[in-house]
Every structure is written in structure tokens, then in C-alpha cells.
Amino acid sequence: MKTSNFFHILALALSILLLPLSAASSDWIYTVSPGDNLWNFSEKHLDNVLRYEKLRKLNNIENPTRMKPGTKIRVPLKWIRSNPVPAEISGFKGSAQLFRADGSVIDINEKGVLVYLGDQIKTGDESTVAIKFADDSVLTLHANSLIRFDHLSAHGETGMVDSRLNLLEGRMDTRVTPAAGPGSRFEIYTPSAIAAVRGTEYRAAVSEAELSSSIEVLHGKVAVKGAKKQRLIKAGFGTKVAKGKQPIAPKKLLNAPKLNSLPGRIRTIGWTLSWEKLTEAAQYRVEVSEEEAFNTILWQKKTEYAKVGLPDLLDGRYFVRVRGIDSLGLEGKQQVTPFVMDTRPQPPVQLKPTPAQVFRATTPELQWSDSAEADRYHLEIASDKAFTELIVDEKNLKSTKFDTSEWSKIQPYYWRLTSITTEGEFGPVGETRSYEIKPIPEKVTTEMNTSDDGMLVASWRAGAPGLTYHVQMAEDPAFKDTILD
């Protein structure tokens, strides 16, 4: 090889290796599959099939009809066909509206509704909407939020999707699919910031009162820009951006609170969920979903305390997550925990007798409300509060009354009820109530005597231990003018 040829080849190789980063990052690298040829590739992926020859020369392809599988082809991004692709409503809870770019309005009440460029979605109270994009990225829009879809396109069938959204009000979560190439783009605009990502999970919120935005990154990295200043926020950190200001330095997110143990099945409506307190938390946010991915939220609540009563949910399997909120309003890490609600059918309300009521030489009739969820009732009466000594164990009561005249022994009694469905499912055991049967005290016979000092003394025979007496003295037989009571 001549020296001049060697240096020419070396210079060519170096020029390729030292391509500017911006040029390299704007090229799509395609791996040739068996059966590919350059003409079909150009028809499928390029904006103009006439770019065929330029592509051949760019990649120095000698035989464009028989390309070797595994070969890498470099394609300038600006040559790739771009086409609009809608997003799709993949889930919803509560009420939300889709405002079309043409001015029409649609109530979101089913999955599969398509969302196009220029459309807006607004959620109501206690509502969420899950939106799925062409690359399978998912965005959850929370209650009282408004978002606009500023750009929705894809680069042909390359897998590269360009999604740009504007969060005007409220909160959102995203789970963004990793970038398929340099044309992949997922950006969230807020009134004060721009967040650009390529494969990550993060939250964004707009505070109308403070005219600021917050970004919290759970997985991956997010480039956050405000007032021409960009910060890279890594997983486990967050930032705030005030309108017209630069993003604050990344702040570490609070750790996920540790939940106290949950029972295998929650049998009580309003059961209290609790967790270990975080010293730096000003508040906590609790969310419940039917999905482990939390694409839609069934219920959420903010609280200052390290506990909260769960809502009245239908029987079934759910997921809960709790996170701390620091003094800046940044929400921390979270851990998803499953739980099972099994509170139905609810026990009836016990009406009579009243709690701890005493009956003298008679027995009560037990009465309770009629439960709409119950086909029949299970009544238990015991002589002890632990119900180890059962007196009555009746599982097929259709009535809402029960006569206890057969059980008149002088003692305390404890009773409780359970509802049973037509399918034979037993609900949670109801409240334990008590009543007591006591004897009628004997009539007190008194004697009046004069003591040695001339005082008049009333006396009577001592009764059973614990017995007390009510004494009255009056100047008239009707005891209207009482002297002593």
C-alpha cells in the first residue's frame, strides 16, 4: 500500500469516528434483517423514496438488493417519514372531559377514546384518567387537572414516537417507554418548566398559588429546564421551578414510609391504615388503586397524621401506597402494598336491648335492623365475652327478632350477629353487646325505734352483698314534701 493511500484511509476513518455528537445523535441506526433490500426499506421508512440513492452512498452499500443481515445502516432523522398518531384513553375513574381542538366536548366514560393533536383533558373531583401513547408510555392525570396535547407523532414504523404535552393545572404521573432512537421524544411543559425524558418514571405537579412546578423522579433521569437553565434530575431526587426562575438544586426525596402490618383480610369498614412517622414529612399522601401499576386511582387522601381510615370499598383485592411530602411540597418515594377488603355482607345494626341493659326477673327480645345484603343471620349468645361458652348458636335466622325467654338464668349475657348471603358467604362479625338478668330485690321491711338519747331510728335487715338502698322521708304519705332523699 502506498503511503499516500494509507494516510487517506486513516483520515477518512478518523473523520467518521470524530463526527460531532449532534450529528451522530440525529441519525437513526437500523440493523438489517433477513430479506431486507434498500428499495423496500426506503419505501417503508423514508419521507421520499427518491432518497434511496443518497442513502446508498451515505452507507457505501455495494449491493442494495442483497444486504447482509446484521449490517448497520445510518439514516439521517430528517429523512425519516413522520406521521401523526393519536394517544388513547386506557382507563378512567370518576368524571373527566375531552375538549377537542375543533371545540367539541366529550365526556370520558369508556376506554379506547382517541386523543389527537390540540385536544385537552380536564379531570373532575376524585377522578383520574390514564392515557396510553403510541410507544406504550402511560400518563396518569390526577383529579382537578388540565393537560393539552401539543405534539403527537411517530417516525413511520421505526418505533420512535414524539409526544409533547402541556400540564396547565394539577398533577400527573408518567411511565415512559425507553427511547427507540434519536427521534423518540417525551416532553412535559408546565407554566414554569420543561421536563424531557427518555425512559423513566416521574411525577409532575403545577401549583397555581405559588406559580411553580415540581418534578419528582422515581426511575431514570429527567432533564428539567427553567429560565434557560437545565438541571439533570436523577432517580430519588426532585426539584421545584418557579415561573421565570431556574430549577432549584436537586433535593433528595423522602424515603417511603414503612406501613404497619395489615391483616390478611380487612373485615371492618373504615379500618385504620398506619405507618411509621417520617421526621421530615409535613404531610402524607395515601392512594388506593385496583391496579398494581396505579394507572388509575380509586381513592386518595392527604393527611398530617401517620394514619388514615380506609374508604368503604367493595370486597376485593386492592393496592395502597403512601408517600411523605416535605416542606417544599416535593412528594417522596413510595412502596406498593396489596390488601384484601372483605367487609360484606355487613352485620345488621343491633336495636334492642340497649348496651348493658339490666332486666329484673324477665328476659328481653333481641331486635336488629334488616340488612339489604343479608339473606339470613347468625346469632350467638354466650355467658362470656370471648364467646367460648355459647348458649345460643343459630345460623338460619330469617327474622330480625329473637325471643330469649328460654334463657332466664340470673347472669350477664353477650350477643352478636353476622349476616349471611344467599350464596352462604359469612360477613364480618358484628358488635358485641351485653345485657344482664338480675332478681327483683326483696321488699324492705323497716322498724322505727327510739334510741337512748331520744333520737328516732329507722332500721331494716341487711341484704345481699353489694345491695344499696334508696331512703326517703316526707311529711305526707304521697312524698310530695320530701325532708330527706
Side-chain angles (χ1 to χ4, degrees):
M1 180 183 294
K2 293 182 180 181
T3 303
S4 61
N5 288 341
F6 170 78
F7 282 109
H8 176 74
I9 293 171
L10 179 61
L12 179 62
L14 286 172
S15 68
I16 293 172
L17 290 171
L18 297 175
L19 278 172
L21 181 62
S22 59
S25 64
S26 63
D27 290 342
W28 176 47
I29 307 302
Y30 175 77
T31 303
V32 174
S33 298
D36 279 347
N37 67 69
L38 199 58
W39 181 262
N40 288 343
F41 175 87
S42 300
E43 280 189 323
K44 183 177 181 180
H45 295 297
L46 301 188
D47 61 347
N48 190 334
V49 74
L50 298 180
R51 294 191 188 274
Y52 164 90
E53 182 60 23
K54 290 183 179 180
L55 190 61
R56 187 190 68 78
K57 288 181 179 180
L58 179 65
N59 289 276
N60 195 26
I61 299 172
E62 294 182 1
N63 188 350
T65 60
R66 290 187 179 182
M67 296 189 295
K68 184 179 179 181
T71 303
K72 304 289 186 182
I73 298 177
R74 186 162 60 92
V75 187
L77 195 61
K78 62 183 180 180
W79 292 1
I80 299 172
R81 180 169 61 249
S82 179
N83 51 287
V85 289
E88 179 184 338
I89 303 299
S90 60
F92 64 93
K93 295 292 181 185
S95 62
Q97 290 184 310
L98 174 60
F99 297 85
R100 294 290 191 196
D102 63 7
S104 59
V105 181
I106 298 173
D107 289 329
I108 297 175
N109 51 27
E110 62 179 344
K111 297 179 182 179
V113 176
L114 298 181
V115 182
Y116 298 96
L117 174 66
D119 289 352
Q120 297 184 54
I121 293 178
K122 185 173 181 61
T123 53
D125 296 338
E126 300 180 5
S127 304
T128 52
V129 173
I131 302 133
K132 187 177 180 181
F133 297 85
D135 61 353
D136 291 330
S137 295
V138 177
L139 181 149
T140 297
L141 189 66
H142 291 278
N144 301 311
S145 299
L146 175 64
I147 196 167
R148 186 178 67 227
F149 298 81
D150 289 343
H151 196 98
L152 294 172
S153 67
H155 293 286
E157 298 180 25
T158 65
M160 293 183 289
V161 174
D162 187 348
S163 303
R164 281 169 263 174
L165 320 168
N166 198 320
L167 180 65
L168 301 169
E169 301 172 11
R171 299 187 302 118
M172 47 150 279
D173 300 348
T174 62
R175 291 157 294 285
V176 182
T177 300
S184 296
R185 192 172 180 182
F186 196 99
E187 292 184 352
I188 301 294
Y189 292 73
T190 72
S192 61
I194 302 172
V197 299
R198 283 190 177 185
T200 191
E201 180 178 348
Y202 77 103
R203 300 186 294 255
V206 173
S207 172
E208 185 179 352
E210 299 177 7
L211 296 176
S212 65
S213 305
S214 58
I215 305 291
E216 300 132 11
V217 183
L218 303 178
H219 299 287
K221 301 174 183 178
V222 177
V224 180
K225 185 176 182 181
K228 299 182 180 181
K229 170 71 174 180
Q230 181 171 292
R231 288 190 184 273
L232 186 64
I233 311 300
K234 299 179 181 179
F237 288 82
T239 186
K240 289 200 75 170
V241 190
K243 191 171 183 179
K245 302 290 185 180
Q246 298 178 357
I248 67 170
K251 184 179 180 184
K252 191 172 182 180
L253 301 179
L254 297 179
N255 289 327
K258 184 179 179 182
L259 291 182
N260 295 326
S261 60
L262 279 73
R265 290 178 178 270
I266 294 175
R267 301 284 279 170
T268 306
I269 290 177
W271 189 84
T272 300
L273 178 76
S274 61
W275 53 89
E276 292 183 7
K277 187 176 181 180
L278 298 176
T279 55
E280 295 182 35
Q283 289 182 304
Y284 302 89
R285 188 183 298 277
V286 185
E287 295 175 322
V288 172
S289 177
E290 297 168 298
E291 314 159 87
E292 190 171 7
F294 278 75
N295 289 331
T296 57
I297 307 298
L298 193 62
W299 176 86
Q300 76 86 30
K301 188 175 182 65
K302 284 174 71 175
T303 176
E304 299 175 4
Y305 308 102
K307 62 181 180 180
V308 70
L310 290 176
D312 183 3
L313 301 169
L314 297 176
D315 287 357
R317 181 177 171 85
Y318 297 92
F319 299 88
V320 64
R321 63 187 185 189
V322 182
R323 55 182 179 263
I325 305 173
D326 66 19
S327 57
L328 289 178
L330 293 175
E331 304 195 10
K333 299 176 185 178
Q334 59 207 9
Q335 183 176 348
V336 175
T337 303
F339 67 97
V340 175
M341 292 295 289
D342 188 11
T343 62
R344 287 176 168 76
Q346 277 290 290
V349 177
Q350 292 151 288
L351 302 176
K352 291 182 179 181
T354 57
Q357 187 172 348
V358 174
F359 296 87
R360 298 285 181 181
T362 185
T363 58
E365 180 183 61
L366 308 183
Q367 296 181 20
W368 56 90
S369 65
D370 191 8
S371 173
E373 299 175 334
D375 173 66
R376 59 190 189 277
Y377 304 98
H378 177 202
L379 170 65
E380 296 170 280
I381 304 176
S383 58
D384 65 315
K385 198 172 184 178
F387 286 82
T388 56
E389 301 293 336
L390 284 175
I391 298 169
V392 174
D393 189 13
E394 177 60 62
K395 293 184 175 68
N396 285 292
L397 281 175
K398 292 281 188 177
S399 174
T400 58
K401 297 179 181 180
F402 187 80
D403 184 7
T404 64
S405 57
E406 292 185 34
W407 299 275
S408 57
K409 186 178 178 181
I410 305 299
Q411 65 176 52
Y413 292 86
Y414 300 87
W415 66 293
R416 64 188 184 187
L417 289 155
T418 305
S419 294
I420 309 172
T421 66
T422 52
E423 294 80 18
E425 179 187 357
F426 282 66
V429 178
E431 175 190 359
T432 296
R433 281 198 180 181
S434 68
Y435 64 91
E436 187 172 359
I437 298 177
K438 291 184 176 182
I440 298 175
E442 295 180 5
K443 184 178 179 180
V444 180
T445 303
T446 61
E447 293 182 0
M448 300 296 294
N449 295 294
T450 303
S451 64
D452 294 341
D453 58 3
M455 297 292 291
L456 187 65
V457 177
S459 62
W460 54 88
R461 183 169 57 87
L467 190 69
T468 59
Y469 300 91
H470 183 195
V471 180
Q472 291 178 306
M473 183 179 293
E475 294 180 342
D476 63 296
F479 280 79
K480 290 182 180 180
D481 295 322
T482 305
I483 299 172
L484 173 69
D485 191 353

